[in-house]
Amino acid sequence: MTESIALLGYGRFGRALSGLLLDAGVRHRVFEPRQDGVPAELKAATLAEAVDGAGLVVLAMPVSAMHAVLEALRPHLSPTQVVLDVGSVKVRPVQVLASVLGRDIPWAGTHPLFGPASLARGDLPRRTVVCPNELHPEAVRRARALFEHIGCEVTELSPDAHDALMARTHVLTFFLAHGLLKAEAGKDLPFAPPSFQPVARLEEYARLEVPHLFGVVQSENPYARDARERLLDALTQLHQACDTKSPDALESISAPPGLADVRERVDALDHELVQLLERRARLIEQAAHLKAGHGLPLPDAEREARLLATRRQWAAEQGLDADATEDVFRAVLRFSRRAVPARSR
């Protein structure tokens, strides 16, 4: 990759991204006025110096700071450059980019779904979301190229689709993790069972890895409140079901969404199957009386063989397992043999 990068911000994510750029051999300069940790060979003294000659300008800063930085940056940008944000939410940053840069300076919203902790663990695949941009499709292409160059799988999502998805993942994960912190889950325990380990990891995640993201994803994501309310409603229902001490109520409330409806439809279908078996038994009883009157064998092995072969063919036509279907109809035949004398008594 020949484009050089201006990296504006050297906090937790800025440092992580800088490390990836160095590993990939991507030239970049860093501007971070509030930190002394920028290596001398990467440090730019001013915004103007950082973006001078850079093909891509990456805003690695809080969403709340973006508008002011873009206003200060705007006079130093040219239409040959592309500005990217890397925030954990997308609706608000894209609005800010559009309002300040508009059609004049190419821009794209992105969200790298990794950070210092996941990089340290070596988590793979490394993913990044890039938002489509009808005003600047070339900016989207160049953003994809950057993240693919540093080893990311890139997915395109609209800002709204991204934030709706993150509300069901990021938002609820952080919300639960901080709730566990406030509830002092696992604090001062002499030991904990293995089942508690995922809870302990989630609590540690909130305490050590992402405390700075909690406020961002809760306040800046337009779908966050609705996601939290749905979770709280579900927890309230579960809490009330636990008080009933009813196993059926607990099983119902803890089942995945939609499972109860599917189970009801399965029960209704099984009821129809039982009714069909009863109708089949009546027909077999009629056949038995007719055969008895004419001295014909019951059961008829040749007839049953043809029947099973036909059912196997029907199963294949429906994309079903022919062997499994034959097993079912062999069971139906056994049922019919037992049903005939029972109904005749």
Side-chain angles (χ1 to χ4, degrees), residues 40-340:
E41 64 274 18
L42 300 178
K43 187 181 296 186
T46 64
L47 277 174
E49 182 182 330
V51 303
D52 184 30
L56 298 174
V57 178
V58 179
L59 307 179
M61 60 190 62
V63 175
S64 58
M66 277 183 54
H67 194 279
V69 171
L70 283 171
E71 290 284 4
L73 191 62
R74 180 67 178 81
H76 306 292
L77 296 173
S78 75
T80 62
Q81 296 174 303
V82 172
V83 179
L84 311 177
D85 90 290
V86 291
S88 298
V89 293
K90 290 274 67 76
V91 170
R92 177 61 178 152
V94 164
Q95 290 173 346
V96 173
L97 287 164
S99 67
V100 178
L101 303 180
R103 296 178 177 273
D104 299 329
I105 304 296
W107 52 269
T110 78
H111 179 198
L113 298 170
F114 55 86
S118 63
L119 292 175
R121 290 192 301 268
D123 292 349
L124 292 174
R126 198 178 295 149
R127 292 188 171 91
T128 296
V129 171
V130 175
C131 298
N133 184 345
E134 293 181 357
L135 291 177
H136 302 291
E138 179 62 15
V140 174
R141 186 196 67 77
R142 288 165 68 181
R144 288 188 67 106
L146 167 64
F147 287 107
E148 287 172 352
H149 185 77
I150 62 174
C152 296
E153 294 182 4
V154 178
T155 300
E156 293 194 19
L157 285 175
S158 70
D160 281 287
H162 169 277
D163 283 3
L165 176 62
M166 290 300 107
R168 297 166 57 194
T169 52
H170 254 141
V171 166
L172 294 186
T173 299
F174 295 169
F175 188 59
L176 281 171
H178 283 265
L180 291 169
L181 272 177
K182 287 187 174 295
E184 298 185 335
K187 184 177 181 181
D188 300 327
L189 292 179
F191 64 89
S195 59
F196 185 76
Q197 295 310 309
V199 175
R201 287 194 293 270
L202 190 58
E203 184 269 348
E204 182 181 26
Y205 181 64
R207 180 166 46 86
L208 300 177
E209 296 186 10
V210 291
H212 60 295
L213 284 179
F214 180 70
V216 174
V217 299
Q218 303 300 332
S219 63
E220 296 288 351
N221 188 321
Y223 300 93
R225 181 181 178 83
D226 185 55
R228 293 195 306 269
E229 288 179 345
R230 288 199 304 271
L231 174 62
L232 290 172
D233 286 344
L235 290 173
T236 299
Q237 292 176 38
L238 183 58
H239 174 63
Q240 292 170 345
C242 288
D243 280 345
T244 67
K245 300 180 181 180
S246 165
D248 290 339
L250 288 174
E251 181 182 3
S252 174
I253 199 69
S254 62
L259 182 57
D261 177 63
V262 172
R263 285 173 171 171
E264 286 181 6
R265 285 185 282 160
V266 168
D267 288 344
L269 188 59
D270 285 351
H271 186 252
E272 290 182 35
L273 288 174
V274 171
Q275 291 175 319
L276 289 172
L277 286 172
E278 193 275 336
R279 288 171 54 189
R280 191 182 196 281
R282 278 193 277 115
L283 291 172
I284 296 301
E285 185 179 6
Q286 293 176 26
H289 285 305
L290 291 171
K291 285 185 174 185
H294 292 80
L296 296 175
L298 180 72
D300 184 337
E302 186 177 340
R303 157 69 180 166
E304 288 187 357
R306 291 197 305 270
L307 179 149
L308 291 173
T310 302
R311 275 50 173 177
R312 289 180 65 90
Q313 181 180 348
W314 291 348
E317 291 170 356
Q318 295 296 320
L320 298 175
D321 186 301
D323 290 337
T325 302
E326 180 177 337
D327 290 342
V328 170
F329 277 96
R330 285 189 180 277
V332 169
L333 290 172
R334 288 196 300 271
F335 165 82
S336 298
R337 293 189 197 109
R338 294 172 184 169
V340 168

